[in-house]
Amino acid sequence: MSGAVMPPPATGPRVQRVPLSRATTDVLTQGPVVVVPPTHLMAGADSHEVAAAMELAREHVDHSSPGTPGSPSDTVVTDRYAFAFDIDGVLIRGGKAIPQAVETMRVLNGENEFGIKVQVALASGPYIFVTNGGGKTEQERCTELSRQLGIEVSPGQFICGHTPMREMAQRYGTVLVVGGEGEKCRVVAEGYGFRDVVTPGDIIKDNADTTPFRKLTAEEHANSRARNFAEIEIEAIFVFADSRDWAGDQQIILDLLMSKRGRLGTRSKTFDEGPPVFFSHNDVVWSTSHELTRIGMGALRASLEAMFKAVTGKTLKTTAYGKPQIGTFQFATRLLQQWRKETHGIDSPPDTVYFVGDTPESDIRGTNEFNKTSENTWYSILVRTGVYKEGVTPDLSPRVTVDNVLDAVKYGMKVEFAKAVAEGVRDVGAVDGLAAAAAA
């Protein structure tokens, strides 16, 4: 690939790249911030290094942010089980907290009949939020989620669907980043270390005829960077977030896929010289404020592959990250194991992790598949507040289906209490707690 053409200087506020270990509240208020996980985060590093790095960031923010609700003084923390949550459709829907979500956080924090505080892994680890969504910096997502749930969320606790893509930053030079609002995905990609980030807006600014039915607004034109794409080879395509313009984005992606080595305006005779395409997740549908599910990035991926087949007669191979990829669940296990070792001196993950999700194809599939090989038990719970359709039996069956996230948590706690009774284990006061509650 050509490396002779240098990117133009970036305009606008400079984005600060902050290591997880320095992701304090003070740092995050100094301007646009992208919190960058350590290089070994998604690689085959020692599990304790990975967990410790994330936990260190959490502690830094916790210590500098006095607003985090504390546990009731007479509660104790169980080390035997934990919960992991998807976000959209489970805790949040249409930008607002699902009614039972805030109460669920209080229950997990010890306000329950058992007097137990439960270790929480929000789709990854101790108070770690991992979502297939993306398109914003960690700072934005954490601020938003803190407001929605009424709890303190730090960037060290939040991993977006495109986080694993940061490992590609040193592999590729010039890349096309697609999706999201305005320049946000470019900001995220540059924060991850990508050296030369192109957006569809840049391409349209260079040649307005690229997309016959899409014209840039005055703001888009001003924010897009002037480039001569006749001299630039785009080495990879990353779909960071849901496209806001399917027709235009797919036209540009197809042009590149059918090009000679990623150079716009050229056509390959074999249609196998174009750059690779990476999607941050593969959810075909997702839950919003609309009463019916809306199509997501997985649908865009299917559409792009179908169009490439129709135009070239060849099969397009793309790569998707996010759930149900096994790495998400492996990372959750490592983080939970580190928490358990530091808190209870037990060098193994909790015996059971209850994963609460709303999407059978990602949440339930990933949990069930990981449970087949994991050293502990991963227990899938499907809620009816998101993608779930009443009267439709999902192709991938959860261990149990409940109405909402609060019911899911209560179900898991009751199962664990029954197990403790059956095993004769007085798990951190659980038996005494229920006996007292029953007596009252």
Side-chain angles (χ1 to χ4, degrees):
M1 294 293 176
S2 174
V5 180
M6 298 298 293
T11 59
R14 182 177 180 83
V15 178
Q16 184 181 183
R17 299 179 71 234
V18 179
L20 281 174
S21 60
R22 293 200 302 109
T24 64
T25 300
D26 289 340
V27 170
L28 297 175
T29 58
Q30 297 174 6
V33 175
V34 173
V35 178
V36 185
T39 303
H40 59 259
L41 179 60
M42 293 296 175
D46 182 84
S47 61
H48 299 301
E49 289 183 356
V50 175
M54 295 297 289
E55 182 66 11
L56 178 61
R58 183 183 69 80
E59 290 175 356
H60 271 295
V61 177
D62 284 349
H63 292 163
S64 62
S65 304
T68 305
S71 306
S73 58
D74 57 348
T75 61
V76 284
V77 181
T78 179
D79 63 34
R80 291 171 58 85
Y81 62 99
F83 284 91
F85 298 98
D86 180 31
I87 297 176
D88 291 319
V90 176
L91 298 172
I92 305 297
R93 181 168 182 172
K96 298 180 181 179
I98 288 172
Q100 297 82 7
V102 176
E103 183 179 353
T104 298
M105 295 299 110
R106 293 198 295 265
V107 168
L108 290 168
N109 204 44
E111 295 181 23
N112 56 71
E113 60 184 315
F114 306 109
I116 294 294
K117 181 179 178 181
V118 183
Q119 181 62 18
V120 182
L122 288 135
S124 187
Y127 279 95
I128 296 293
F129 298 75
V130 172
T131 172
N132 274 349
K136 300 179 181 179
T137 65
E138 288 85 348
Q139 179 187 4
E140 288 183 274
R141 294 305 299 264
C142 291
T143 300
E144 184 177 57
L145 196 61
S146 296
R147 174 182 55 79
Q148 291 165 332
L149 293 181
I151 61 174
E152 187 79 19
V153 180
S154 76
Q157 299 169 275
F158 208 109
I159 298 179
C160 299
H162 45 61
T163 298
M165 292 179 174
R166 66 167 299 281
E167 291 191 326
M168 302 285 190
Q170 302 307 313
R171 184 180 305 180
Y172 298 108
T174 301
V175 300
L176 172 67
V177 170
V178 176
E181 302 171 357
E183 295 285 292
K184 290 182 178 179
C185 283
R186 190 193 322 252
V187 169
V188 174
E190 290 178 343
Y192 285 162
F194 285 95
R195 300 182 295 278
D196 185 13
V197 181
V198 171
T199 68
D202 298 345
I203 294 171
I204 298 172
K205 184 173 184 174
D206 180 56
N207 184 354
D209 294 330
T210 300
T211 53
F213 304 112
R214 180 190 174 187
K215 303 303 177 184
L216 298 180
T217 65
E219 181 181 3
E220 289 173 333
H221 193 275
N223 289 332
S224 297
R225 299 174 184 174
R227 309 290 298 272
N228 181 3
F229 286 99
E231 301 177 356
I232 296 172
E233 292 180 358
I234 294 176
E235 302 175 20
I237 302 167
F238 293 91
V239 183
F240 265 39
D242 287 296
S243 168
R244 269 52 172 180
D245 175 30
W246 275 41
D249 288 347
Q250 288 189 101
Q251 178 66 71
I252 291 171
I253 295 173
L254 280 171
D255 282 346
L256 287 170
L257 291 173
M258 296 188 292
S259 71
K260 294 180 180 179
R261 299 176 60 192
R263 192 179 290 266
L264 287 165
T266 66
R267 275 290 184 267
S268 169
K269 293 182 179 179
T270 57
F271 301 122
D272 60 0
E273 301 177 65
V277 186
F278 303 93
F279 291 84
S280 65
H281 68 85
N282 195 40
D283 286 348
V284 176
V285 295
W286 66 299
S287 176
T288 71
S289 56
H290 197 278
E291 63 269 19
L292 301 175
T293 57
R294 306 288 86 185
I295 55 177
M297 190 181 297
L300 176 67
R301 183 189 185 194
S303 174
L304 182 66
E305 292 175 348
M307 283 196 294
F308 186 83
K309 180 75 171 180
V311 173
T312 68
K314 293 194 172 184
T315 299
L316 174 66
K317 294 182 179 180
T318 61
T319 301
Y321 290 87
K323 297 170 295 181
Q325 304 304 317
I326 208 73
T328 298
F329 298 91
Q330 291 173 333
F331 180 69
T333 299
R334 293 196 296 267
L335 208 52
L336 286 169
Q337 179 169 337
Q338 179 68 9
W339 164 83
R340 197 182 191 206
K341 180 179 180 181
E342 292 180 354
T343 306
H344 300 281
I346 304 172
D347 193 12
S348 63
D351 299 342
T352 304
V353 179
Y354 294 92
F355 193 103
V356 185
D358 73 309
T359 308
E361 282 296 327
S362 58
D363 301 323
I364 304 307
R365 178 191 292 275
T367 305
N368 290 352
E369 287 299 315
F370 185 62
N371 184 58
K372 294 178 182 178
T373 58
S374 63
E375 60 181 279
N376 60 341
T377 298
W378 279 73
Y379 197 109
S380 58
I381 302 179
L382 180 67
V383 294
R384 297 186 174 98
T385 51
V387 172
Y388 174 89
K389 295 180 180 178
E390 191 68 46
V392 177
T393 302
D395 294 333
L396 299 154
S397 298
R399 296 282 291 274
V400 66
T401 301
V402 298
D403 286 337
N404 54 62
V405 64
L406 182 59
D407 289 344
V409 167
K410 289 182 176 180
Y411 172 88
M413 295 183 79
K414 289 178 180 178
V415 169
E416 289 301 316
F417 173 75
K419 286 164 58 176
V421 171
E423 297 169 4
V425 177
R426 303 180 74 79
D427 179 20
V428 290
V431 176
D432 293 333
L434 186 61

